[in-house]
Amino acid sequence: MKYSQFAVIGLGRFGSSLAKELIAQGYEVMGIDKNEEIADDMSDELTFTAAADTTDEEVLKELGIRNSDCVIIAIGNDIQASIMTAILLKDFGVKKVVAKALSELHGRVLEKIGVDRVIYPERDMAIRLAHQLVQPNILDFIELSNKYTIAELSAPQKISGKTLGKLDTRAKYGCSVVALHKQEEILIAPSANDVVDKDDIMVLIGTKQQIERFEDAVTD
Ligand code: ATP
């Protein structure tokens, strides 16, 4: 489902960055913060801002929050406020509630309340950074399951000019190239004759170990 109306509760560093990025992508965003100064500061940048405490049921009703397609709770330190806001939003029947958790326990409580997606920005960013630091050619990755990962790898000089057939990642390393992002175009399900050039982005699917073995073998 595609959302068009978002509400972001808590306009700290995370919430304000998220709200601004959604606006930049052309969506309507209501920003709410209990701190009036913070809400006012963002009023020129968002569709609508309100200074309100979202643990107050009446206030949430007045704001018409149930009309939002997706509400993101970006309250951090005040765990009680984060949890109470989540309960109210789920009771209102908001279609999708996303909440930021500061700890595993906070996240578990949010899941039990029925929050649709719990995110751990600091933890996840640290994990991503650690992967990128030890494997500099890996640009990004998504864990599909405990076993399988999709990773974007920037093609190093060592394999520049080689065809996918010659690289034969499936037979040699066990991982497959599902897309090849070249400067001008993206080749989905590329063929054995397609040539990899330096800095092309190879989208690989396989286990973490298979992708790491390939990355180790091709790094200059
Ligand atoms: P960040 O890392 O994103 O800066 P944080 O994790 O440190 O944030 P806080 O600063 O505690 O989290 O909260 C983010 C924002 O949420 C703050 O601007 C705060 O005023 C707002 N906030 C906290 N409680 C409520 C509430 N009950 N209703 C509305 N806004 C709230």
Side-chain angles (χ1 to χ4, degrees):
M1 183 194 162
K2 206 144 160 52
Y3 305 112
S4 56
Q5 289 215 325
F6 290 88
V8 178
I9 299 175
L11 300 171
R13 287 162 301 179
F14 178 77
S16 61
S17 306
L18 176 72
K20 282 192 263 183
E21 185 56 29
L22 288 167
I23 289 279
Q25 291 192 28
Y27 295 97
E28 289 185 13
V29 181
M30 168 160 64
I32 307 167
D33 200 291
K34 71 171 183 190
N35 183 319
E36 202 167 337
E37 213 175 301
I38 292 177
D40 278 354
D41 276 355
M42 293 288 293
S43 62
D44 289 343
E45 301 188 68
L46 307 183
T47 318
F48 175 77
T49 54
D53 182 343
T54 55
T55 60
D56 185 330
E57 190 167 357
E58 288 311 310
V59 168
L60 277 185
K61 272 189 194 148
E62 276 167 31
L63 287 170
I65 198 111
R66 53 160 61 93
N67 298 325
S68 304
D69 300 311
C70 177
V71 182
I72 303 100
I73 306 171
I75 299 172
N77 295 314
D78 191 344
I79 291 181
Q80 187 176 332
S82 153
I83 291 168
M84 283 167 68
T85 302
I87 292 174
L88 291 173
L89 293 175
K90 289 309 294 180
D91 278 357
F92 284 169
V94 172
K95 280 179 228 140
K96 180 149 185 171
V97 179
V98 177
K100 159 179 148 164
L102 283 195
S103 65
E104 290 292 330
L105 193 57
H106 181 194
R108 265 169 33 211
V109 175
L110 291 168
E111 269 163 25
K112 288 221 156 51
I113 294 166
V115 163
D116 302 278
R117 183 166 172 200
V118 178
I119 47 166
Y120 302 84
E122 284 93 355
R123 185 198 70 181
D124 293 349
M125 191 60 218
I127 292 172
R128 283 203 136 60
L129 181 61
H131 279 265
Q132 284 162 4
L133 292 175
V134 291
Q135 294 181 291
N137 289 315
I138 300 280
L139 303 175
D140 207 354
F141 66 94
I142 303 168
E143 278 175 1
L144 293 178
S145 66
N146 287 342
K147 206 165 168 209
Y148 293 105
T149 295
I150 288 187
E152 285 185 344
L153 183 138
S154 171
Q157 180 61 41
K158 203 167 172 180
I159 56 171
S160 190
K162 293 195 174 156
T163 63
L164 290 178
K166 174 99 180 130
L167 287 172
D168 207 7
T169 57
R170 177 104 200 89
K172 290 185 189 155
Y173 308 96
C175 53
S176 305
V177 181
V178 288
L180 190 59
H181 193 160
K182 304 188 77 68
Q183 287 238 312
E184 305 286 318
E185 54 178 343
I186 302 179
L187 306 174
I188 303 292
S191 73
N193 297 328
D194 287 317
V195 176
V196 178
D197 292 306
K198 182 172 168 4
D199 297 334
D200 282 355
I201 297 169
M202 304 173 78
V203 183
L204 294 152
I205 188 164
T207 66
K208 210 166 147 277
Q209 292 74 14
Q210 290 166 343
I211 293 170
E212 277 174 12
R213 265 196 287 136
F214 174 63
E215 206 248 349
D216 287 345
V218 300
T219 298
D220 301 313

PDB file of all heavy atoms in Angstrom, residues 52-85:
ATOM      1  N   ALA A  52       1.782  19.642  20.820  1.00  0.00           N
ATOM      2  CA  ALA A  52       0.795  18.867  21.581  1.00  0.00           C
ATOM      3  C   ALA A  52       1.453  17.667  22.240  1.00  0.00           C
ATOM      4  O   ALA A  52       2.452  17.138  21.747  1.00  0.00           O
ATOM      5  CB  ALA A  52      -0.306  18.375  20.631  1.00  0.00           C
ATOM      6  N   ASP A  53       0.852  17.265  23.366  1.00  0.00           N
ATOM      7  CA  ASP A  53       1.323  16.066  24.061  1.00  0.00           C
ATOM      8  C   ASP A  53       0.478  14.894  23.546  1.00  0.00           C
ATOM      9  O   ASP A  53      -0.737  14.839  23.772  1.00  0.00           O
ATOM     10  CB  ASP A  53       1.137  16.253  25.576  1.00  0.00           C
ATOM     11  CG  ASP A  53       1.650  15.054  26.364  1.00  0.00           C
ATOM     12  OD1 ASP A  53       1.836  13.972  25.759  1.00  0.00           O
ATOM     13  OD2 ASP A  53       1.859  15.208  27.573  1.00  0.00           O
ATOM     14  N   THR A  54       1.125  13.955  22.858  1.00  0.00           N
ATOM     15  CA  THR A  54       0.365  12.891  22.188  1.00  0.00           C
ATOM     16  C   THR A  54      -0.063  11.765  23.131  1.00  0.00           C
ATOM     17  O   THR A  54      -0.661  10.784  22.689  1.00  0.00           O
ATOM     18  CB  THR A  54       1.191  12.298  21.024  1.00  0.00           C
ATOM     19  OG1 THR A  54       2.451  11.877  21.546  1.00  0.00           O
ATOM     20  CG2 THR A  54       1.373  13.307  19.924  1.00  0.00           C
ATOM     21  N   THR A  55       0.225  11.925  24.436  1.00  0.00           N
ATOM     22  CA  THR A  55      -0.293  10.937  25.385  1.00  0.00           C
ATOM     23  C   THR A  55      -1.705  11.338  25.828  1.00  0.00           C
ATOM     24  O   THR A  55      -2.342  10.642  26.617  1.00  0.00           O
ATOM     25  CB  THR A  55       0.615  10.792  26.634  1.00  0.00           C
ATOM     26  OG1 THR A  55       0.685  12.063  27.281  1.00  0.00           O
ATOM     27  CG2 THR A  55       2.000  10.353  26.256  1.00  0.00           C
ATOM     28  N   ASP A  56      -2.177  12.477  25.338  1.00  0.00           N
ATOM     29  CA  ASP A  56      -3.519  12.967  25.669  1.00  0.00           C
ATOM     30  C   ASP A  56      -4.488  12.571  24.550  1.00  0.00           C
ATOM     31  O   ASP A  56      -4.398  13.060  23.421  1.00  0.00           O
ATOM     32  CB  ASP A  56      -3.444  14.501  25.832  1.00  0.00           C
ATOM     33  CG  ASP A  56      -4.758  15.098  26.287  1.00  0.00           C
ATOM     34  OD1 ASP A  56      -5.819  14.537  25.949  1.00  0.00           O
ATOM     35  OD2 ASP A  56      -4.711  16.137  26.977  1.00  0.00           O
ATOM     36  N   GLU A  57      -5.402  11.688  24.884  1.00  0.00           N
ATOM     37  CA  GLU A  57      -6.325  11.127  23.896  1.00  0.00           C
ATOM     38  C   GLU A  57      -7.144  12.204  23.175  1.00  0.00           C
ATOM     39  O   GLU A  57      -7.323  12.159  21.953  1.00  0.00           O
ATOM     40  CB  GLU A  57      -7.255  10.136  24.612  1.00  0.00           C
ATOM     41  CG  GLU A  57      -8.081   9.331  23.664  1.00  0.00           C
ATOM     42  CD  GLU A  57      -8.759   8.154  24.355  1.00  0.00           C
ATOM     43  OE1 GLU A  57      -8.538   7.946  25.562  1.00  0.00           O
ATOM     44  OE2 GLU A  57      -9.515   7.455  23.659  1.00  0.00           O
ATOM     45  N   GLU A  58      -7.633  13.176  23.960  1.00  0.00           N
ATOM     46  CA  GLU A  58      -8.477  14.234  23.371  1.00  0.00           C
ATOM     47  C   GLU A  58      -7.695  15.048  22.348  1.00  0.00           C
ATOM     48  O   GLU A  58      -8.203  15.403  21.286  1.00  0.00           O
ATOM     49  CB  GLU A  58      -9.021  15.156  24.484  1.00  0.00           C
ATOM     50  CG  GLU A  58     -10.085  14.517  25.342  1.00  0.00           C
ATOM     51  CD  GLU A  58     -11.187  13.836  24.521  1.00  0.00           C
ATOM     52  OE1 GLU A  58     -11.713  14.489  23.602  1.00  0.00           O
ATOM     53  OE2 GLU A  58     -11.494  12.653  24.778  1.00  0.00           O
ATOM     54  N   VAL A  59      -6.442  15.332  22.716  1.00  0.00           N
ATOM     55  CA  VAL A  59      -5.588  16.124  21.815  1.00  0.00           C
ATOM     56  C   VAL A  59      -5.391  15.381  20.495  1.00  0.00           C
ATOM     57  O   VAL A  59      -5.515  15.954  19.411  1.00  0.00           O
ATOM     58  CB  VAL A  59      -4.220  16.394  22.510  1.00  0.00           C
ATOM     59  CG1 VAL A  59      -3.203  16.935  21.526  1.00  0.00           C
ATOM     60  CG2 VAL A  59      -4.396  17.358  23.667  1.00  0.00           C
ATOM     61  N   LEU A  60      -5.135  14.082  20.606  1.00  0.00           N
ATOM     62  CA  LEU A  60      -4.927  13.277  19.388  1.00  0.00           C
ATOM     63  C   LEU A  60      -6.184  13.287  18.515  1.00  0.00           C
ATOM     64  O   LEU A  60      -6.101  13.365  17.297  1.00  0.00           O
ATOM     65  CB  LEU A  60      -4.569  11.838  19.751  1.00  0.00           C
ATOM     66  CG  LEU A  60      -3.109  11.536  20.085  1.00  0.00           C
ATOM     67  CD1 LEU A  60      -2.935  10.057  20.305  1.00  0.00           C
ATOM     68  CD2 LEU A  60      -2.173  12.012  18.992  1.00  0.00           C
ATOM     69  N   LYS A  61      -7.336  13.218  19.156  1.00  0.00           N
ATOM     70  CA  LYS A  61      -8.608  13.236  18.408  1.00  0.00           C
ATOM     71  C   LYS A  61      -8.763  14.564  17.678  1.00  0.00           C
ATOM     72  O   LYS A  61      -9.100  14.600  16.499  1.00  0.00           O
ATOM     73  CB  LYS A  61      -9.789  13.045  19.379  1.00  0.00           C
ATOM     74  CG  LYS A  61     -10.113  11.593  19.611  1.00  0.00           C
ATOM     75  CD  LYS A  61     -11.420  11.484  20.395  1.00  0.00           C
ATOM     76  CE  LYS A  61     -11.584  10.072  20.930  1.00  0.00           C
ATOM     77  NZ  LYS A  61     -12.299  10.012  22.188  1.00  0.00           N
ATOM     78  N   GLU A  62      -8.488  15.655  18.419  1.00  0.00           N
ATOM     79  CA  GLU A  62      -8.637  16.986  17.819  1.00  0.00           C
ATOM     80  C   GLU A  62      -7.725  17.169  16.615  1.00  0.00           C
ATOM     81  O   GLU A  62      -8.077  17.843  15.652  1.00  0.00           O
ATOM     82  CB  GLU A  62      -8.310  18.074  18.858  1.00  0.00           C
ATOM     83  CG  GLU A  62      -9.484  18.423  19.746  1.00  0.00           C
ATOM     84  CD  GLU A  62      -9.060  19.255  20.940  1.00  0.00           C
ATOM     85  OE1 GLU A  62      -8.090  20.030  20.828  1.00  0.00           O
ATOM     86  OE2 GLU A  62      -9.678  19.108  22.005  1.00  0.00           O
ATOM     87  N   LEU A  63      -6.557  16.560  16.691  1.00  0.00           N
ATOM     88  CA  LEU A  63      -5.605  16.701  15.578  1.00  0.00           C
ATOM     89  C   LEU A  63      -6.025  15.871  14.361  1.00  0.00           C
ATOM     90  O   LEU A  63      -5.462  16.011  13.281  1.00  0.00           O
ATOM     91  CB  LEU A  63      -4.199  16.268  16.019  1.00  0.00           C
ATOM     92  CG  LEU A  63      -3.463  17.217  16.953  1.00  0.00           C
ATOM     93  CD1 LEU A  63      -2.203  16.559  17.498  1.00  0.00           C
ATOM     94  CD2 LEU A  63      -3.116  18.511  16.231  1.00  0.00           C
ATOM     95  N   GLY A  64      -6.991  15.011  14.544  1.00  0.00           N
ATOM     96  CA  GLY A  64      -7.464  14.172  13.433  1.00  0.00           C
ATOM     97  C   GLY A  64      -6.421  13.176  12.983  1.00  0.00           C
ATOM     98  O   GLY A  64      -6.317  12.848  11.794  1.00  0.00           O
ATOM     99  N   ILE A  65      -5.659  12.681  13.942  1.00  0.00           N
ATOM    100  CA  ILE A  65      -4.531  11.803  13.596  1.00  0.00           C
ATOM    101  C   ILE A  65      -4.997  10.516  12.911  1.00  0.00           C
ATOM    102  O   ILE A  65      -4.252   9.917  12.139  1.00  0.00           O
ATOM    103  CB  ILE A  65      -3.693  11.498  14.856  1.00  0.00           C
ATOM    104  CG1 ILE A  65      -2.300  10.980  14.468  1.00  0.00           C
ATOM    105  CG2 ILE A  65      -4.342  10.498  15.775  1.00  0.00           C
ATOM    106  CD1 ILE A  65      -1.219  11.924  14.781  1.00  0.00           C
ATOM    107  N   ARG A  66      -6.234  10.119  13.147  1.00  0.00           N
ATOM    108  CA  ARG A  66      -6.696   8.854  12.557  1.00  0.00           C
ATOM    109  C   ARG A  66      -6.830   8.950  11.035  1.00  0.00           C
ATOM    110  O   ARG A  66      -6.914   7.930  10.365  1.00  0.00           O
ATOM    111  CB  ARG A  66      -7.981   8.338  13.197  1.00  0.00           C
ATOM    112  CG  ARG A  66      -9.118   9.325  13.239  1.00  0.00           C
ATOM    113  CD  ARG A  66     -10.445   8.582  13.415  1.00  0.00           C
ATOM    114  NE  ARG A  66     -10.531   7.814  14.658  1.00  0.00           N
ATOM    115  CZ  ARG A  66     -11.037   8.249  15.798  1.00  0.00           C
ATOM    116  NH1 ARG A  66     -11.473   9.485  15.869  1.00  0.00           N
ATOM    117  NH2 ARG A  66     -11.120   7.485  16.850  1.00  0.00           N
ATOM    118  N   ASN A  67      -6.792  10.178  10.520  1.00  0.00           N
ATOM    119  CA  ASN A  67      -6.840  10.333   9.055  1.00  0.00           C
ATOM    120  C   ASN A  67      -5.485  10.103   8.384  1.00  0.00           C
ATOM    121  O   ASN A  67      -5.401  10.030   7.159  1.00  0.00           O
ATOM    122  CB  ASN A  67      -7.335  11.737   8.675  1.00  0.00           C
ATOM    123  CG  ASN A  67      -8.739  11.966   9.186  1.00  0.00           C
ATOM    124  OD1 ASN A  67      -9.548  11.039   9.216  1.00  0.00           O
ATOM    125  ND2 ASN A  67      -9.028  13.188   9.621  1.00  0.00           N
ATOM    126  N   SER A  68      -4.431  10.020   9.192  1.00  0.00           N
ATOM    127  CA  SER A  68      -3.107   9.776   8.603  1.00  0.00           C
ATOM    128  C   SER A  68      -3.020   8.317   8.168  1.00  0.00           C
ATOM    129  O   SER A  68      -3.525   7.427   8.843  1.00  0.00           O
ATOM    130  CB  SER A  68      -2.011  10.046   9.631  1.00  0.00           C
ATOM    131  OG  SER A  68      -2.128  11.350  10.134  1.00  0.00           O
ATOM    132  N   ASP A  69      -2.347   8.095   7.034  1.00  0.00           N
ATOM    133  CA  ASP A  69      -2.163   6.705   6.571  1.00  0.00           C
ATOM    134  C   ASP A  69      -1.086   6.012   7.392  1.00  0.00           C
ATOM    135  O   ASP A  69      -1.111   4.808   7.574  1.00  0.00           O
ATOM    136  CB  ASP A  69      -1.696   6.697   5.113  1.00  0.00           C
ATOM    137  CG  ASP A  69      -2.687   7.372   4.206  1.00  0.00           C
ATOM    138  OD1 ASP A  69      -3.868   7.041   4.309  1.00  0.00           O
ATOM    139  OD2 ASP A  69      -2.268   8.236   3.405  1.00  0.00           O
ATOM    140  N   CYS A  70      -0.110   6.798   7.820  1.00  0.00           N
ATOM    141  CA  CYS A  70       1.021   6.203   8.536  1.00  0.00           C
ATOM    142  C   CYS A  70       1.517   7.199   9.575  1.00  0.00           C
ATOM    143  O   CYS A  70       1.731   8.369   9.254  1.00  0.00           O
ATOM    144  CB  CYS A  70       2.128   5.893   7.516  1.00  0.00           C
ATOM    145  SG  CYS A  70       3.622   5.239   8.242  1.00  0.00           S
ATOM    146  N   VAL A  71       1.648   6.735  10.810  1.00  0.00           N
ATOM    147  CA  VAL A  71       2.147   7.610  11.881  1.00  0.00           C
ATOM    148  C   VAL A  71       3.456   7.040  12.416  1.00  0.00           C
ATOM    149  O   VAL A  71       3.542   5.848  12.724  1.00  0.00           O
ATOM    150  CB  VAL A  71       1.121   7.740  13.036  1.00  0.00           C
ATOM    151  CG1 VAL A  71       1.655   8.687  14.114  1.00  0.00           C
ATOM    152  CG2 VAL A  71      -0.223   8.238  12.528  1.00  0.00           C
ATOM    153  N   ILE A  72       4.460   7.893  12.498  1.00  0.00           N
ATOM    154  CA  ILE A  72       5.760   7.453  13.011  1.00  0.00           C
ATOM    155  C   ILE A  72       5.975   8.088  14.381  1.00  0.00           C
ATOM    156  O   ILE A  72       5.946   9.320  14.516  1.00  0.00           O
ATOM    157  CB  ILE A  72       6.921   7.858  12.066  1.00  0.00           C
ATOM    158  CG1 ILE A  72       6.680   7.298  10.674  1.00  0.00           C
ATOM    159  CG2 ILE A  72       8.256   7.354  12.611  1.00  0.00           C
ATOM    160  CD1 ILE A  72       6.137   8.268   9.696  1.00  0.00           C
ATOM    161  N   ILE A  73       6.169   7.238  15.390  1.00  0.00           N
ATOM    162  CA  ILE A  73       6.434   7.747  16.751  1.00  0.00           C
ATOM    163  C   ILE A  73       7.947   7.829  16.910  1.00  0.00           C
ATOM    164  O   ILE A  73       8.633   6.800  16.979  1.00  0.00           O
ATOM    165  CB  ILE A  73       5.833   6.814  17.829  1.00  0.00           C
ATOM    166  CG1 ILE A  73       4.341   6.578  17.562  1.00  0.00           C
ATOM    167  CG2 ILE A  73       6.055   7.401  19.219  1.00  0.00           C
ATOM    168  CD1 ILE A  73       3.721   5.490  18.445  1.00  0.00           C
ATOM    169  N   ALA A  74       8.454   9.056  16.916  1.00  0.00           N
ATOM    170  CA  ALA A  74       9.907   9.250  17.002  1.00  0.00           C
ATOM    171  C   ALA A  74      10.293   9.844  18.353  1.00  0.00           C
ATOM    172  O   ALA A  74      11.241  10.597  18.456  1.00  0.00           O
ATOM    173  CB  ALA A  74      10.369  10.135  15.844  1.00  0.00           C
ATOM    174  N   ILE A  75       9.511   9.483  19.373  1.00  0.00           N
ATOM    175  CA  ILE A  75       9.843   9.900  20.747  1.00  0.00           C
ATOM    176  C   ILE A  75      10.873   8.904  21.251  1.00  0.00           C
ATOM    177  O   ILE A  75      10.679   7.697  21.098  1.00  0.00           O
ATOM    178  CB  ILE A  75       8.593   9.848  21.664  1.00  0.00           C
ATOM    179  CG1 ILE A  75       7.511  10.784  21.159  1.00  0.00           C
ATOM    180  CG2 ILE A  75       8.974  10.165  23.102  1.00  0.00           C
ATOM    181  CD1 ILE A  75       6.176  10.637  21.906  1.00  0.00           C
ATOM    182  N   GLY A  76      11.957   9.404  21.836  1.00  0.00           N
ATOM    183  CA  GLY A  76      13.004   8.488  22.260  1.00  0.00           C
ATOM    184  C   GLY A  76      13.034   8.255  23.749  1.00  0.00           C
ATOM    185  O   GLY A  76      12.535   7.251  24.260  1.00  0.00           O
ATOM    186  N   ASN A  77      13.584   9.230  24.453  1.00  0.00           N
ATOM    187  CA  ASN A  77      13.900   9.018  25.870  1.00  0.00           C
ATOM    188  C   ASN A  77      12.690   8.765  26.758  1.00  0.00           C
ATOM    189  O   ASN A  77      12.773   7.997  27.714  1.00  0.00           O
ATOM    190  CB  ASN A  77      14.682  10.225  26.405  1.00  0.00           C
ATOM    191  CG  ASN A  77      16.025  10.313  25.719  1.00  0.00           C
ATOM    192  OD1 ASN A  77      16.713   9.307  25.592  1.00  0.00           O
ATOM    193  ND2 ASN A  77      16.371  11.493  25.242  1.00  0.00           N
ATOM    194  N   ASP A  78      11.592   9.393  26.450  1.00  0.00           N
ATOM    195  CA  ASP A  78      10.407   9.213  27.291  1.00  0.00           C
ATOM    196  C   ASP A  78       9.656   7.952  26.828  1.00  0.00           C
ATOM    197  O   ASP A  78       8.704   8.010  26.043  1.00  0.00           O
ATOM    198  CB  ASP A  78       9.510  10.463  27.184  1.00  0.00           C
ATOM    199  CG  ASP A  78       8.403  10.445  28.233  1.00  0.00           C
ATOM    200  OD1 ASP A  78       8.153   9.360  28.816  1.00  0.00           O
ATOM    201  OD2 ASP A  78       7.795  11.495  28.464  1.00  0.00           O
ATOM    202  N   ILE A  79      10.120   6.814  27.338  1.00  0.00           N
ATOM    203  CA  ILE A  79       9.579   5.519  26.896  1.00  0.00           C
ATOM    204  C   ILE A  79       8.093   5.412  27.220  1.00  0.00           C
ATOM    205  O   ILE A  79       7.303   4.887  26.428  1.00  0.00           O
ATOM    206  CB  ILE A  79      10.393   4.362  27.532  1.00  0.00           C
ATOM    207  CG1 ILE A  79      11.791   4.363  26.920  1.00  0.00           C
ATOM    208  CG2 ILE A  79       9.720   3.017  27.329  1.00  0.00           C
ATOM    209  CD1 ILE A  79      12.709   3.277  27.409  1.00  0.00           C
ATOM    210  N   GLN A  80       7.724   5.945  28.359  1.00  0.00           N
ATOM    211  CA  GLN A  80       6.307   5.892  28.742  1.00  0.00           C
ATOM    212  C   GLN A  80       5.444   6.643  27.729  1.00  0.00           C
ATOM    213  O   GLN A  80       4.404   6.140  27.294  1.00  0.00           O
ATOM    214  CB  GLN A  80       6.149   6.504  30.128  1.00  0.00           C
ATOM    215  CG  GLN A  80       4.746   6.333  30.663  1.00  0.00           C
ATOM    216  CD  GLN A  80       4.614   6.867  32.085  1.00  0.00           C
ATOM    217  OE1 GLN A  80       5.575   6.892  32.834  1.00  0.00           O
ATOM    218  NE2 GLN A  80       3.423   7.287  32.440  1.00  0.00           N
ATOM    219  N   ALA A  81       5.898   7.814  27.303  1.00  0.00           N
ATOM    220  CA  ALA A  81       5.134   8.600  26.325  1.00  0.00           C
ATOM    221  C   ALA A  81       5.066   7.861  24.987  1.00  0.00           C
ATOM    222  O   ALA A  81       4.030   7.852  24.321  1.00  0.00           O
ATOM    223  CB  ALA A  81       5.783   9.976  26.146  1.00  0.00           C
ATOM    224  N   SER A  82       6.162   7.215  24.619  1.00  0.00           N
ATOM    225  CA  SER A  82       6.194   6.467  23.357  1.00  0.00           C
ATOM    226  C   SER A  82       5.170   5.329  23.387  1.00  0.00           C
ATOM    227  O   SER A  82       4.381   5.140  22.452  1.00  0.00           O
ATOM    228  CB  SER A  82       7.629   5.932  23.155  1.00  0.00           C
ATOM    229  OG  SER A  82       7.648   4.773  22.395  1.00  0.00           O
ATOM    230  N   ILE A  83       5.133   4.607  24.507  1.00  0.00           N
ATOM    231  CA  ILE A  83       4.224   3.459  24.632  1.00  0.00           C
ATOM    232  C   ILE A  83       2.760   3.919  24.714  1.00  0.00           C
ATOM    233  O   ILE A  83       1.889   3.354  24.031  1.00  0.00           O
ATOM    234  CB  ILE A  83       4.619   2.615  25.871  1.00  0.00           C
ATOM    235  CG1 ILE A  83       5.965   1.922  25.606  1.00  0.00           C
ATOM    236  CG2 ILE A  83       3.549   1.577  26.200  1.00  0.00           C
ATOM    237  CD1 ILE A  83       6.607   1.304  26.827  1.00  0.00           C
ATOM    238  N   MET A  84       2.507   4.956  25.485  1.00  0.00           N
ATOM    239  CA  MET A  84       1.122   5.435  25.603  1.00  0.00           C
ATOM    240  C   MET A  84       0.610   5.960  24.263  1.00  0.00           C
ATOM    241  O   MET A  84      -0.532   5.699  23.865  1.00  0.00           O
ATOM    242  CB  MET A  84       1.024   6.523  26.675  1.00  0.00           C
ATOM    243  CG  MET A  84       1.051   5.939  28.076  1.00  0.00           C
ATOM    244  SD  MET A  84       1.304   7.189  29.336  1.00  0.00           S
ATOM    245  CE  MET A  84      -0.218   8.102  29.229  1.00  0.00           C
ATOM    246  N   THR A  85       1.465   6.671  23.540  1.00  0.00           N
ATOM    247  CA  THR A  85       1.069   7.178  22.218  1.00  0.00           C
ATOM    248  C   THR A  85       0.748   6.008  21.289  1.00  0.00           C
ATOM    249  O   THR A  85      -0.248   6.028  20.554  1.00  0.00           O
ATOM    250  CB  THR A  85       2.208   8.049  21.629  1.00  0.00           C
ATOM    251  OG1 THR A  85       2.488   9.110  22.532  1.00  0.00           O
ATOM    252  CG2 THR A  85       1.839   8.612  20.277  1.00  0.00           C
TER     253      THR A  85
END
